[in-house]
Amino acid sequence: MPRDNAEWIFERRRELGNRIRDLRLHANHTQESFAELTGIDRRTLQRIERGESDPRYGHLLRISAALDIPVSDLVQ
């Protein structure tokens, strides 16, 4: 397995971050209010939304619960 990430991984990470941001905005949450709702640090949410960080599975569970959607809808 290669040590460095392939470009497609970075692209998928950006897509996931964009989807989370769009859903958060559609639900009328600021990053700060969403951080409080999910219990995830605001800086961590920022990195996830920018596609700079791979979210933990637990973060995906918290995000999907706050948005009232299945995890599978986030990562489609």
Side-chain angles (χ1 to χ4, degrees):
M1 177 173 263
R3 297 182 101 177
D4 57 326
N5 288 331
E7 183 59 33
W8 67 271
I9 294 174
F10 294 120
E11 181 59 32
R12 288 299 308 236
R13 193 184 298 154
R14 284 188 293 268
E15 290 171 8
L16 175 61
N18 288 338
R19 179 146 176 79
I20 290 170
R21 183 193 67 239
D22 291 346
L23 289 166
R24 172 183 59 79
L25 291 172
H26 183 72
N28 294 316
H29 285 288
T30 63
Q31 282 184 338
E32 187 170 319
S33 69
F34 200 61
E36 289 178 20
L37 180 64
T38 60
I40 301 171
D41 182 72
R42 186 179 55 82
R43 288 185 197 111
T44 300
L45 282 173
Q46 288 174 330
R47 287 190 297 272
I48 291 170
E49 288 186 359
R50 287 191 305 254
E52 297 172 354
S53 175
D54 286 324
R56 296 180 191 173
Y57 185 64
H59 290 158
L60 293 176
L61 290 173
R62 289 171 181 247
I63 290 167
S64 66
L67 296 169
D68 197 29
I69 61 171
V71 173
S72 59
D73 285 358
L74 286 178
V75 296
Q76 59 180 339

